Amino acid sequence: MKEEHFQKQIDTEQKIEPKDWMPEQYRKHLIRQISQHAHSEVIGMQPEGNWITRAPSLRAKMILLAKVQDEAGHGLYLYSACETLGISREKLVQQLHDEKAKYSSIFNYPTLTWADMGAIGWLVDGAAIINQVSLQRTSYGPYSRAMIKICKEESFHQRQGYEIMAEMAKGTPEQKTMAQDALNRFWWPSIMMFGPQDSESPRTGNAMKWKIKRQTNDELRQSFIDKTVGQAEIIGLKIPDPDLKWNEERKHYDFGEMDWEEFWNVVNGNGPCNKQRLAHHKKAHDEGEWVRNAAQEYAKKQESATN
Amino acid sequence: MAKNATVWEVFIQSKNGLAHKHAGNVHAADKIMALENARELYTRRNEGSCIWVVKSSEIVSSETEDSEAFFDPSNDKMYRHPTFYTMPEGSKHI
Ligand SMILES: [Fe+2]
Ligand SMILES: [Fe+2]
């Protein structure tokens, strides 16, 4: 009966709100997905933070700082949305540290040159945008509202990255090589951000029925590839996929096979930077503990002073 | 581990003359930190001219499950709406 009412709300495009009844599996699925999304925003600050002190100009530095600050904000919007499901932020962070919660594997790749800032903004934020635009229509109200806010802020992220790539691609031969190298390294991990193929993705069923997800991994991936190919052509860079070819019948690009062994390897903690990313997060969290304690002591003191 | 920080709901007035609108929430130890966190989180692009923060625990909400019964008293009073009334043919400015 309750379940029927719930499904009817979903089918008629009404949002589910925190106080509404929901199946336990729906709640669980959302906590897993939203927290993974929040952790990705937060861990995602590290590869870019790596270049803030070495940005090639003041303009570039201010832009990168603003972008990284936005990502912190995205993490917070998402933690807030997740907390409405009855889990505390402290517990969410604990799950990240205990490796019970995951974050997007893309952030386990190193950022070796300044061109990587271009590739990340253009491709990684570009892929995230495709996913997030789709999630604006997710059935859970707080998640949907967080996505709407995030999408408004994302478009500058992708544009600043593409601008870096375009500038470098028309710069010196060394700069162009650097840009192409960044594209070569980030292309496959970026298209793997959409997750396993639909045929390999056991959780898609309920997620679609409950409208947590509105499009499948493969649909989102295709949409990203279709949008990006032309952008690479315009700036004279080559996407590292020999099988990439326009399919007139499908009206989409065909593309090559992804290296799923590498994908699962990185998901399971063996990517180039998994250990470093998590260790850094733990260290920052631990080193901030005295600040949190002091702030609470100060708040207590003030409260007793006014009472 | 430190005890969980207090959650504050954030309301933003986007410009002078408009009502404050709920924007989301922040964690903070005290009210000044709550205001500053809200500014950093919700007004990085000139979204506000004034911010209110209120402890989430102080907010009283009606229950969505009871919303039908709760709002029932207003359902049968169509005479509260101007469209309920029949105006004489040809009357203007009313
Ligand atoms: Fe983001
Ligand atoms: Fe972003």
Side-chain angles (χ1 to χ4, degrees):
Chain A
M1 180 60 207
K2 274 181 171 172
E3 180 117 31
E4 256 168 50
H5 177 74
F6 168 82
Q7 192 60 46
K8 208 174 141 207
Q9 274 180 289
I10 303 259
D11 293 342
T12 54
E13 295 293 324
Q14 292 177 60
K15 297 292 181 214
I16 306 299
E17 293 297 337
K19 287 183 149 193
D20 294 347
W21 184 89
M22 62 186 83
E24 235 4 77
Q25 284 307 318
Y26 178 81
R27 186 185 301 275
K28 266 204 188 137
H29 189 115
L30 277 171
I31 290 179
R32 190 173 40 78
Q33 181 170 331
I34 301 175
S35 70
Q36 179 169 337
H37 198 158
H39 298 324
S40 302
E41 301 282 352
V42 170
I43 296 287
M45 290 191 282
Q46 290 185 43
E48 290 182 298
N50 180 37
W51 280 89
I52 289 174
T53 55
R54 291 176 287 158
S57 69
L58 183 57
R59 177 184 185 267
K61 187 178 184 135
M62 290 191 306
I63 291 171
L64 189 55
L65 262 174
K67 180 190 189 281
V68 171
Q69 193 189 1
D70 273 354
E71 305 301 2
H74 298 174
L76 294 177
Y77 300 153
L78 286 160
Y79 284 130
S80 285
C82 201
E83 285 169 287
T84 63
L85 293 159
I87 183 164
S88 74
R89 192 168 306 184
E90 288 74 9
K91 180 109 187 267
L92 291 169
V93 172
Q94 196 58 49
Q95 288 179 345
L96 173 68
H97 290 174
D98 295 345
E99 297 180 52
K100 283 185 190 131
K102 294 202 183 302
Y103 55 87
S104 178
S105 281
I106 191 79
F107 302 117
N108 289 319
Y109 292 89
T111 45
L112 305 176
T113 72
W114 175 251
D116 291 8
M117 297 303 96
I120 287 183
W122 174 34
L123 302 173
V124 177
D125 287 77
I129 289 170
I130 299 274
N131 189 32
Q132 288 165 343
V133 165
S134 176
L135 285 171
Q136 291 183 106
R137 292 169 54 236
T138 188
S139 58
Y140 188 54
Y143 192 23
S144 157
R145 293 190 284 277
M147 283 299 115
I148 291 168
K149 218 176 292 174
I150 287 174
C151 283
K152 276 191 200 143
E153 300 185 355
E154 282 288 0
S155 60
F156 115 69
H157 296 183
Q158 193 186 18
R159 292 181 71 138
Q160 64 85 33
Y162 188 50
E163 189 191 77
I164 292 173
M165 286 304 253
E167 285 292 313
M168 293 190 78
K170 65 172 195 233
T172 64
E174 287 87 349
Q175 286 173 323
K176 182 161 187 185
T177 308
M178 233 186 249
Q180 182 63 53
D181 172 60
L183 172 55
N184 292 350
R185 282 180 290 111
F186 277 95
W187 174 255
W188 292 103
S190 297
I191 67 171
M192 287 197 274
M193 278 173 71
F194 296 99
Q197 281 157 309
D198 296 347
S199 52
E200 308 285 322
S201 187
R203 291 197 185 97
T204 303
N206 269 341
M208 294 293 281
K209 177 177 146 215
W210 288 333
K211 296 186 182 168
I212 294 175
K213 293 186 73 154
R214 304 303 305 248
Q215 287 171 288
T216 68
N217 295 354
D218 287 340
E219 286 166 0
L220 294 164
R221 182 166 18 242
Q222 184 72 61
S223 149
F224 172 70
I225 292 172
D226 290 349
K227 283 194 170 74
T228 311
V229 174
Q231 294 165 2
E233 276 168 11
I234 286 182
I235 59 174
L237 295 180
K238 198 172 164 348
I239 289 176
D241 179 358
D243 298 323
L244 190 70
K245 182 163 103 251
W246 178 252
N247 182 327
E248 185 54 37
E249 209 170 295
R250 291 201 309 129
K251 300 278 176 214
H252 289 296
Y253 281 92
D254 290 336
F255 53 95
E257 194 53 51
M258 289 162 276
D259 183 350
W260 293 109
E261 202 176 314
E262 172 178 325
F263 175 81
W264 288 114
N265 200 32
V266 182
V267 168
N268 291 323
N270 304 314
C273 299
N274 295 55
K275 302 226 160 42
Q276 179 190 339
R277 300 290 184 239
L278 207 55
H280 182 85
H281 191 279
K282 280 183 191 161
K283 182 166 172 272
H285 190 73
D286 290 346
E287 289 179 356
E289 178 150 26
W290 72 269
V291 180
R292 293 191 293 277
N293 289 340
Q296 277 179 3
E297 279 310 308
Y298 180 70
K300 247 191 253 163
K301 239 187 207 172
Q302 283 203 309
E303 220 152 273
S304 52
T306 49
N307 284 343
Chain B
M1 195 160 75
K3 82 168 177 48
N4 298 356
T6 308
V7 182
W8 305 71
E9 297 302 321
V10 179
F11 299 83
I12 295 175
Q13 182 189 38
S14 57
K15 61 179 198 236
N16 171 284
L18 296 180
H20 285 65
K21 212 176 140 204
H22 185 238
N25 61 39
V26 291
H27 286 211
D30 62 40
K31 52 192 176 186
I32 294 181
M33 190 191 283
L35 269 180
E36 289 174 352
N37 287 355
R39 178 195 62 197
E40 294 304 313
L41 190 55
Y42 293 106
T43 61
R44 288 196 302 280
R45 290 172 174 78
N46 287 323
E47 291 96 334
S49 61
C50 180
I51 299 177
W52 290 346
V53 290
V54 182
K55 279 187 189 165
S56 304
S57 57
E58 299 288 316
I59 291 195
V60 184
S61 168
S62 61
E63 299 290 329
T64 31
E65 281 143 58
D66 309 335
S67 72
E68 226 165 280
F70 188 75
F71 293 106
D72 179 63
S74 76
N75 282 343
D76 54 353
K77 297 183 180 59
M78 290 311 292
Y79 45 85
R80 282 174 172 161
H81 298 279
T83 46
F84 178 79
Y85 300 90
T86 319
M87 293 294 100
E89 194 84 26
S91 57
K92 281 181 191 160
H93 307 303
I94 176 158

